[in-house]
């Protein structure tokens, strides 16, 4: 399938992609879709079963750097190299929101999660976050049917001046914590090599976990209190939370630039320059 998708748009480079969440109905082949963001600022939706493009939108003037679906699959959130975040409808092909809060700094991560109606005293059925390379994270409460999108929190993490001779800094990454409600995890270039657990309710960092180096990728297990963290020295770490002895694994040929848990939490996908590894997670 990836080969077919690439061949459909040969002049452009695919920069990011995401699977459409499972619908409430039967999970059949016809319901499988993937959305991809490209270097020309376009967003394309592909049918996996038919191996064809179903929709093309152009919400960005710059290359895309991050993309995701809303939790119900009814909206596509995309972030660009220029720091703009667009919210588009795959049903109509229309872009309904463009947020410029991160303008000027590439978007490095986008994620959505469901929330209770009265969580945090705001209306809406979904929380989502955007992270940019300048170490800023914005958190939003949204009700797409009511055309509401309200800023819940704005985080800015300090860092020293960039080290000499380093062409690019480690990415700024954030993710909602599946096993701890109202908490997000942040990693990035900063004063210390660590993962920060931030409470959206208390508006403060709850705890920190020291890391051997600045992280290059991050994923949180949906099934158990574990984090997968990739590093630039070909190392993959499985970190129990909130405390516990980490497990380190080698096997990559370069920087571990992608970690992604499967929805079941039983498998982990990791990628480096020319290696894609699938890990089977066992034990309690």
């Amino acid at each position: 399938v990836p080969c077919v998708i690439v061949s459909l748009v040969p002049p452009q480079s695919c920069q990011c992609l995401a699977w459409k969440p499972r619908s409430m109905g039967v999970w059949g082949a016809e319901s499988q879709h993937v959305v991809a963001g490209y270097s020309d600022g376009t967003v394309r939706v592909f049918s996996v079963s038919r191996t064809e493009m179903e929709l093309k939108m152009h919400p960005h003037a710059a290359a895309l750097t991050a993309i995701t679906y809303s939790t119900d699959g009814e909206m596509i959130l995309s972030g660009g190299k220029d720091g703009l975040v667009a919210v588009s409808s795959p049903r109509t092909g229309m872009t309904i929101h463009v947020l410029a809060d991160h303008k000027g700094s590439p978007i490095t991560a986008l994620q959505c999660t469901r929330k209770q109606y009265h969580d945090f005293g705001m209306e809406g059925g979904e929380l989502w976050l955007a992270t940019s390379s300048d170490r800023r994270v914005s958190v939003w409460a949204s009700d797409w049917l009511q055309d509401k999108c309200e800023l819940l929190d704005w985080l800015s993490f300090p860092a020293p001046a960039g080290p000499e001779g380093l062409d690019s800094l480690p990415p700024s990454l954030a993710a909602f914590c599946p096993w701890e409600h109202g908490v997000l995890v942040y990693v990035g270039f900063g004063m210390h090599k660590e993962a920060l657990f931030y409470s959206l309710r208390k508006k403060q960092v709850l705890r920190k976990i020291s890391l051997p180096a600045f992280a290059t990728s991050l994923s949180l297990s949906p099934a158990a209190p574990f984090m997968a963290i990739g590093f630039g020295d070909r190392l993959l770490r499985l970190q129990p939370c909130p405390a516990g002895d980490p497990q380190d694994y080698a096997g990559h040929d370069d920087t571990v630039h992608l970690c992604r848990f499967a929805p079941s939490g039983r498998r982990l996908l990791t990628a480096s320059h020319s290696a894609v590894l699938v890990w089977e997670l066992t034990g309690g």
Side-chain angles (χ1 to χ4, degrees):
V1 174
C3 293
V4 174
I5 290 175
V6 171
S7 68
L8 289 171
V9 282
Q12 304 302 329
S13 171
C14 180
Q15 309 282 16
C16 48
L17 53 83
W19 284 93
K20 184 177 181 178
R22 294 187 181 189
S23 64
M24 298 304 290
V26 177
W27 179 239
E30 290 298 316
S31 65
Q32 296 184 32
H33 290 81
V34 64
V35 63
Y38 285 82
S39 56
D40 63 350
T42 58
V43 170
R44 294 170 167 90
V45 178
F46 297 91
S47 167
V48 175
S49 58
R50 292 191 293 273
T51 62
E52 66 181 18
M53 185 175 68
E54 292 188 345
L55 177 66
K56 175 183 175 182
M57 301 179 286
H58 203 155
H60 295 270
L64 270 78
T65 52
I67 199 164
T68 191
Y69 274 96
S70 60
T71 54
D72 60 6
E74 292 299 314
M75 293 294 167
I76 294 171
L77 287 73
S78 53
K81 191 175 182 179
D82 56 4
L84 298 184
V85 176
V87 182
S88 307
S89 169
R91 289 184 181 271
T92 66
M94 300 288 291
T95 297
I96 62 173
H97 288 292
V98 176
L99 297 99
D101 299 73
H102 292 271
K103 186 176 182 180
S105 185
I107 302 299
T108 51
L110 291 168
Q111 189 191 11
C112 300
T113 187
R114 296 187 187 276
K115 78 175 192 72
Q116 300 287 329
Y117 183 77
H118 291 296
D119 280 4
F120 312 106
M122 304 177 76
E123 294 185 0
E126 183 166 272
L127 289 183
W128 63 274
L129 64 79
T131 311
S132 50
S133 60
D134 58 358
R135 302 173 304 281
R136 297 179 187 273
V137 182
S138 60
V139 184
W140 306 78
S142 296
D143 187 333
W144 306 121
L145 293 179
Q146 299 296 323
D147 196 28
K148 292 182 179 179
C149 188
E150 188 175 357
L151 183 66
L152 172 65
D153 211 337
W154 180 263
L155 314 179
S156 182
F157 295 93
E164 294 288 338
L166 190 62
D167 293 333
S168 60
L169 295 175
S172 301
L173 302 170
F176 292 110
C177 188
W179 61 83
E180 195 166 356
H181 197 59
V183 172
L184 63 82
V185 179
Y186 171 85
V187 295
F189 181 68
M191 307 303 292
H192 305 283
K193 301 177 180 70
E194 57 192 3
L196 304 177
F197 286 72
Y198 177 87
S199 170
L200 294 169
R201 286 196 177 89
K202 297 182 178 180
K203 308 290 186 181
Q204 66 183 37
V205 174
L206 300 177
R207 58 186 176 276
K208 305 174 181 179
I209 293 180
S210 296
L211 302 176
F214 290 116
T216 54
S217 54
L218 171 72
S219 184
L220 279 63
S221 170
F226 270 88
M227 294 191 300
I229 308 169
F231 299 98
D233 57 357
R234 300 175 292 178
L235 180 72
L236 170 69
R237 169 166 287 191
L238 284 182
Q239 174 68 58
C241 300
D245 295 330
Q247 304 171 52
D248 292 337
Y249 301 92
H252 292 86
D253 59 350
D254 206 333
T255 297
V256 184
H257 63 77
L258 175 70
C259 296
R260 193 76 77 241
F261 277 102
S264 66
R266 296 180 179 178
R267 289 184 174 87
L268 174 68
L269 175 75
T270 61
S272 56
H273 175 68
S274 61
V276 177
L277 304 181
V278 179
W279 306 77
E280 188 81 25
L281 305 178
T282 59

